[in-house]
Amino acid sequence: MGFVVTADGSNTLYHAEVGEHYHSKHGALQESKHVFVHSGLAYYVQQECVDMVAILEVGFGTGLNFLQSADYACREGLKLRYCGVEAYPLAADVVFATGYDNYVDGRIWNGFKNGYKDAWEDAVRLNADVEWRIVHQKILDFKCDQLFDVVYFDAFAAIHQPEMWTDETLAHICQFLKVGGVFVTYAITGNLKRSMKALGFKIEKAPGALGKREMLRAVKL
């Protein structure tokens, strides 16, 4: 597993066993901002006019989506509750070597580094407005009594990780999303659209990140 510089200058990791990068080779940072923060978090806030958002991320990976979400929340004066689910966690020294400290406020990065190990045990505070935790489980084993406003679905592509894109897996994830909640992912396929419609979602073909014409955004009805 080694670092790869993507087209926007930000790093990603290549997972040799899976055969895929953690982020888009067209730009790790731009994909995170466009697909998840802009099309997911910011879209939900604008639609619902809220000042507190709960996010469930499937595939915490390098932590880039969390860092960008925390940075956005702090700049916008939002309270954020964030839960990442990750079956195969990365070691702290790998995560801290990503260079993602260049893309967020230094206080957020320091809070991330200081809390990374503890966040695997329980929810921790990044600061007064951001609470986060990482759950070391396969997604089908994940259970939670609380519901979320936004789901970031950032699993590896279906060609490499087909079990993550099945009807069973999607149904399990979406039970944790509130009515009116938003599900976003970088991909859009016929099978995915049919699955989400069958689960009671309104489907939108949103503009994709660089390198992809479209992405899926779905609202739970």
Side-chain angles (χ1 to χ4, degrees):
M1 191 178 293
F3 288 108
V4 176
V5 180
T6 66
D8 66 3
S10 58
N11 290 326
T12 189
L13 283 169
Y14 180 73
H15 197 304
E17 291 182 14
V18 174
E20 190 177 15
H21 297 91
Y22 276 78
H23 310 286
S24 170
K25 64 182 181 181
H26 297 284
L29 180 64
Q30 67 84 23
E31 180 187 48
S32 178
K33 285 184 171 182
H34 177 83
V35 174
F36 300 106
V37 178
H38 174 72
S39 302
L41 171 57
Y43 175 85
Y44 179 80
V45 171
Q46 290 161 9
Q47 296 298 308
E48 300 296 325
C49 299
V50 295
D51 59 7
M52 190 281 173
V53 180
I55 295 175
L56 174 64
E57 180 178 20
V58 181
F60 186 84
T62 62
L64 179 57
N65 295 332
F66 167 66
L67 287 165
Q68 289 302 307
S69 299
D71 194 65
Y72 175 86
C74 292
R75 284 187 284 107
E76 296 297 322
L78 291 170
K79 293 189 181 297
L80 179 65
R81 178 167 59 84
Y82 200 101
C83 177
V85 181
E86 178 57 62
Y88 306 102
L90 292 169
D93 61 337
V94 174
V95 172
F96 299 159
T98 55
Y100 296 159
D101 54 313
N102 293 310
Y103 310 121
V104 294
D105 184 279
R107 290 166 294 185
I108 290 174
W109 180 255
N110 288 335
F112 176 69
K113 283 188 70 177
N114 292 335
Y116 183 73
K117 291 182 180 177
D118 289 339
W120 290 98
E121 302 296 329
D122 202 354
V124 296
R125 286 276 175 189
L126 184 77
N127 54 38
D129 293 328
V130 178
E131 179 184 279
W132 64 300
R133 67 182 175 116
I134 318 168
V135 179
H136 181 192
Q137 281 183 328
K138 292 184 177 180
I139 190 59
L140 287 177
D141 295 326
F142 174 71
K143 293 180 177 143
C144 185
D145 294 331
Q146 298 175 309
L147 295 177
F148 296 86
D149 303 301
V150 181
V151 167
Y152 291 174
F153 190 70
D154 200 16
F156 289 118
I159 191 172
H160 298 295
Q161 208 173 30
E163 70 279 5
M164 293 297 293
W165 301 81
T166 64
D167 291 345
E168 178 189 12
T169 301
L170 292 169
H172 181 76
I173 295 164
C174 291
Q175 71 179 303
F176 303 113
L177 190 62
K178 294 177 182 176
V179 172
V182 175
F183 175 105
V184 284
T185 188
Y186 59 87
I188 187 164
T189 66
N191 285 339
L192 179 59
K193 288 187 289 183
R194 284 188 289 274
S195 293
M196 297 304 291
K197 284 180 181 177
L199 288 169
F201 282 76
K202 180 179 73 175
I203 306 302
E204 180 183 354
K205 296 179 183 178
L210 291 178
K212 287 185 180 291
R213 189 166 60 90
E214 296 174 334
M215 57 165 277
L216 183 136
R217 178 166 58 215
V219 177
K220 190 171 185 177
L221 300 175

